[in-house]
Amino acid sequence: MGTKSLCLLIASVLVAYYVYTPIPENIEERWKLMLINAGFRTVGHVAELAEWLGLMHYMEVLMMITSIEYTAPISDENVTVTDIEFDNVPVRLYVPRKQSGGLKRAVIYIHGGGWCVGGSAMEPYDLLSRWTANKLNAVVVSVEYRLAPIYHFPVQFDDVYTVVKFFLQNSVLVQYGVDPNRICISGDSAGGNLAAAVAQQLLDDLQVKVKLKIQALLYPALQTLDLDLPSYKDNENKPILPKSLMIRFWSEYFTTDSSLNEAMASNRHVPAESSNLFRFVNWSNLLPEEFKKDHVYTSPIYGSSRLGKKYPGFLDPRAAPLLVDDTKLLGLPMTYVLTCQHDVLRDDGIMYVSRLREAGIEVIHDHIEDAIHGALMFITSPTDLALGHRVANKYIGWLNMNL
Ligand SMILES: *[C@@H]1O[C@H](CO)[C@@H](O)[C@H](O)[C@H]1NC(C)=O
Ligand SMILES: *[C@@H]1O[C@H](CO)[C@@H](O)[C@H](O)[C@H]1NC(C)=O
């Protein structure tokens, strides 16, 4: 074998190793997903390198990449799109042009991106909002909340809460011709987390008279306590959202101090004083048998009380909506939960379904067997997947029937 062919062989082994990620058997368009995932991994490696060299924060690199996908607020034949502010928080607003006579429905949408990246202007989110506005003839408010690492919890929560509270005023609903009885809050991933948290906190807010009709939580993150759930173990290295990145997102939501990240990575971050909270995320009780598989429940291992005192946010239900008492679930609106089989966050969503059902809330659970985390992101060329379109149609179709 000549030197050239040997080099070629080594190069192709390296490329194959790099590009190849075990893709679950039941996933379609495997090669396309593998390439997309190689792109995500490259960005991750560049971010690690930039951070290690002291050039940029890890999330700044990710933010730079996602900002390439930002679109201007361009109206089309069906929807008027504007970037405005609700009570000083930026939102992208989609108002259907069709004159339907009666009042319109409304969807408040919270984008994902681990509280650190993403934006309502990103092409897939912009498209999803247009589709929603168009299909439902609904007003869509897509919230542009501030992000980590510049802003930590509770800024993200507060920004979303401010927008929702502003929009739910009767005078504002009248201005946009919205039916106060047909309003939904939706969000995916970190946005699902914020949607769930805001829906809970609204229940205690006496100033807000208008009630949400629906909350739609799309592969949401809902708890910080147990980062070794069966879904975290089974999907540790699945495409798009590996466990290490999810833990980085969680810790970054509260602080850039790496000691929280390290403690979360070994699942020893919760202080013994907060042991009573573990009952809210006890997968031994809250997961149906089919998701437990061979996993064996073990008691939590506690961490130092220093972290809990320094960063109380990770024990706060506004960051981890599963941590509320059952009584706080009463009064929540009808809930749509979408979970993906190959997702570290799968069990967060499933446990919330169990808890809401026990509390008597009407829950519709769509579990997608052949889906990965972030499926809704893959609806624009060149990274579109049939899966993305299928999940988007499922969610918007359900909303159209029920809102
Ligand atoms: C406007 O709505 C019509 C009917 O739903 C649809 O066929 C068309 O593609 C929409 N236009 C845009 C730009 O989305
Ligand atoms: C979780 O549930 C199991 C089974 O019901 C129980 O044995 C265990 O003590 C619970 N753990 C916590 C921390 O609540």
Side-chain angles (χ1 to χ4, degrees), residues 265-287:
S266 58
N267 208 30
R268 292 172 186 212
H269 50 295
V270 181
E273 301 91 281
S274 303
S275 61
N276 62 319
L277 295 177
F278 271 100
R279 67 185 193 279
F280 297 135
V281 296
N282 188 338
W283 63 264
S284 171
N285 301 328
L286 295 169
L287 277 190

Side-chain angles (χ1 to χ4, degrees), residues 75-79 98 127 130-131 134-135:
S75 302
D76 63 35
E77 52 183 311
N78 303 317
V79 188
K98 208 189 308 175
L127 190 58
R130 283 170 200 271
W131 285 350
N134 211 6
K135 173 96 180 174

Side-chain angles (χ1 to χ4, degrees), residues 228-291:
D228 253 337
L229 295 170
S231 58
Y232 271 97
K233 288 190 167 140
D234 289 345
N235 303 307
E236 181 167 3
N237 292 309
K238 293 271 173 75
I240 311 307
L241 185 64
K243 177 180 168 178
S244 56
L245 180 57
M246 187 59 225
I247 287 180
R248 183 75 198 255
F249 280 141
W250 265 132
S251 61
E252 206 65 54
Y253 189 16
F254 308 106
T255 174
T256 296
D257 171 357
S258 61
S259 61
L260 182 62
N261 184 267
E262 283 155 24
M264 282 181 158
S266 58
N267 208 30
R268 292 172 186 212
H269 50 295
V270 181
E273 301 91 281
S274 303
S275 61
N276 62 319
L277 295 177
F278 271 100
R279 67 185 193 279
F280 297 135
V281 296
N282 188 338
W283 63 264
S284 171
N285 301 328
L286 295 169
L287 277 190
E289 288 304 323
E290 57 189 296
F291 298 104

Side-chain angles (χ1 to χ4, degrees), residues 29 34 42 159 169 177 180 264 283 315 366:
E29 296 177 281
M34 234 180 251
T42 306
D159 281 357
Q169 298 173 97
M264 282 181 158
W283 63 264
L315 301 166
D366 256 341

Side-chain angles (χ1 to χ4, degrees), residues 161 164-173 179-183 198-199 201-213 331 333:
Y161 197 86
V164 174
K165 195 164 173 169
F166 179 88
F167 188 66
L168 293 185
Q169 298 173 97
N170 268 317
S171 56
V172 177
L173 297 177
D179 183 342
N181 298 310
R182 299 177 82 187
I183 302 170
V198 166
Q201 300 303 318
L202 279 177
L203 299 177
D204 294 335
D205 193 328
L206 299 174
Q207 291 174 327
V208 183
K209 301 278 188 285
V210 173
K211 299 258 175 282
L212 295 169
K213 181 173 184 191

